[in-house]
Amino acid sequence: MSRIGLKTIVVPGSVTVTKKGDNLTVKGPKGELTRYFDPKITFAQKDGKINFSRSNENDKPLHGTERANLASMIEGVVKGYKKTLKLVGVGYRAQAQGDKLTLNVGYSHPVVLTAPKGVNVKTSSATDIEVSGISKQNVGQFAAEIRDVRPPEPYKGKGIRYTNEYVRRKEGKTGK
């Protein structure tokens, strides 16, 4: 049996969960999220708790996935999500202006990225980037796109990395 799919989700009082057709909408203090919800998985909402069930045993992976997606949506509209990145390298810097992020990371030109709707970008210093929003998927995807501009390399450790990421260093060439 799916263990994650069987867990009950406790819905805070400030959050409303509604299903319209195959779409699920979650409204909370930070905003509203809508997502497609597979009709093979049914959910029952009672007394501020949501339980999930599936029609047959072949839908086990989907059962846990849909439950985890709804739990992430509820957490997003209540607390929000945040990822922080750090630029490591001489002369590397970032600057955020509105939804635009300009990165100077060793290329002959600055790289300009536009944040998707619902994602906020801040730079607390020239080497720290903070990506935040209510959608876990959008925040994670945009943070990954920023990191892909210049991933950390293993010899000098230069590049864009998550603040809690460990870059395993390799030994360089040795002389004769």
Side-chain angles (χ1 to χ4, degrees):
M1 282 186 105
S2 170
R3 293 184 186 152
I4 295 174
L6 294 175
K7 284 185 177 179
T8 301
I9 297 177
V10 178
V11 181
S14 60
V15 176
T16 59
V17 179
T18 55
K19 186 172 182 181
K20 188 173 188 180
D22 288 342
N23 290 328
L24 200 64
T25 303
V26 178
K27 290 183 185 176
K30 289 197 175 253
E32 177 181 335
L33 291 172
T34 302
R35 182 184 185 90
Y36 170 78
F37 194 81
D38 200 299
K40 294 177 188 173
I41 308 299
T42 57
F43 76 96
Q45 187 173 4
K46 184 178 179 185
D47 297 332
K49 295 182 180 181
I50 297 178
N51 291 314
F52 293 85
S53 60
R54 59 182 179 268
S55 56
N56 61 27
E57 286 298 309
N58 295 335
D59 297 331
K60 242 187 218 185
L62 192 60
H63 188 199
T65 301
E66 294 294 0
R67 186 246 174 235
N69 286 339
L70 181 60
S72 294
M73 290 169 67
I74 291 172
E75 185 178 341
V77 297
V78 173
K79 298 178 187 172
Y81 289 99
K82 179 171 64 170
K83 293 240 182 209
T84 53
L85 297 109
K86 186 157 192 66
L87 280 68
V88 177
V90 177
Y92 286 14
R93 61 184 186 275
Q95 184 179 12
Q97 295 173 339
D99 64 343
K100 301 256 190 238
L101 178 68
T102 306
L103 299 170
N104 293 313
V105 286
Y107 295 120
S108 61
H109 59 284
V111 178
V112 179
L113 299 172
T114 304
K117 184 180 176 189
V119 175
N120 301 319
V121 182
K122 288 192 303 189
T123 51
S124 55
S125 70
T127 58
D128 294 327
I129 304 169
E130 183 180 295
V131 181
S132 61
I134 60 172
S135 173
K136 185 176 190 177
Q137 180 180 355
N138 290 347
V139 169
Q141 178 66 39
F142 189 61
E145 288 173 9
I146 294 170
R147 185 182 178 278
D148 282 346
V149 170
R150 179 72 85 175
E153 55 96 15
Y155 295 102
K156 292 184 181 178
K158 293 171 33 172
I160 303 172
R161 64 176 82 169
Y162 297 109
T163 52
N164 58 354
E165 182 179 7
Y166 173 73
V167 177
R168 190 167 175 179
R169 302 288 297 270
K170 292 183 178 178
E171 187 177 330
K173 288 183 178 179
T174 56
K176 284 189 167 189

